[in-house]
Amino acid sequence: MKEKETILTSDGLKKLEEELENLKTVKRREVAQRIKQAIEFGDISENSEYEDAKNEQAFIEGRIITLEKMLRNAKVIENEDVGKDTVTLGSTVVLKDLEFGDEFKYTIVGSVEADPDANKISNESPVGKAIIGHKKGEVVEVEVPAGKLEYKIVDIL
């Protein structure tokens, strides 16, 4: 089975590489030290420090495997790949809610980088899916659990 492609901006790629490096160099060492200290306390069968450290170690190793797989299958969207005519991955768009008149500014990113609090929405989200491929001035309909929303693409930055 083919592994899923991970779509990233260059910033997203850098963040994942930094996280992986931190897990491999700093976190692995810290958890190994915690396990060593817990073993020094004696009987590990009823040692919660040891159990916690082993669980954290398993989490770290799992995350390292996940990050390595994501980076191996990364497709980086470069700034020069992002046009100003049509909404694509990497585009920053200004949308106007036609019902309430509110304007929102979003950057369309791959699902790995999605962070609604930072106005980064996934290309797989309802809004992201709806606006990709559309041009400035177009009105798009977005199916959401609450019903249908209409947005006008005010600008592509």
Side-chain angles (χ1 to χ4, degrees), residues 13-144:
L13 177 67
K14 187 174 161 209
K15 283 180 185 160
L16 290 183
E17 288 171 339
E18 287 169 358
E19 180 185 354
L20 180 61
E21 185 64 23
N22 181 49
L23 288 173
K24 284 181 163 182
T25 57
V26 178
K27 293 293 184 186
R28 260 185 181 161
R29 224 176 287 128
E30 286 175 359
V31 79
Q33 188 59 37
R34 282 184 51 210
I35 290 171
K36 183 178 175 221
Q37 286 174 336
I39 290 171
E40 289 172 359
F41 290 139
D43 183 13
I44 59 172
S45 64
E46 293 182 20
N47 185 330
S48 65
E49 290 290 322
Y50 177 77
E51 280 302 311
D52 287 347
K54 288 300 280 182
N55 287 337
E56 185 179 352
Q57 182 182 45
F59 174 80
I60 288 169
E61 293 306 319
R63 182 68 180 154
I64 287 171
I65 290 168
T66 299
L67 288 171
E68 286 175 337
K69 188 194 248 180
M70 288 162 73
L71 291 169
R72 191 170 49 245
N73 297 301
K75 177 182 180 207
V76 180
I77 304 299
E78 299 294 341
N79 286 343
E80 53 270 13
D81 296 338
V82 180
K84 303 282 187 225
D85 304 334
T86 305
V87 179
T88 62
L89 264 157
S91 293
T92 298
V93 297
V94 178
L95 299 176
K96 182 174 187 167
D97 181 324
L98 293 180
E99 184 178 352
F100 299 105
D102 299 334
E103 286 195 2
F104 307 95
K105 185 170 151 185
Y106 293 119
T107 300
I108 312 300
V109 295
S111 58
V112 170
E113 283 183 80
D115 180 359
D117 293 337
N119 296 331
K120 292 181 177 182
I121 61 171
S122 167
N123 62 316
E124 297 173 18
S125 70
V127 173
K129 263 189 213 167
I131 64 175
I132 285 198
H134 287 277
K135 297 181 182 310
K136 180 178 171 178
E138 289 186 29
V139 173
V140 293
E141 228 176 55
V142 181
E143 282 285 339
V144 293

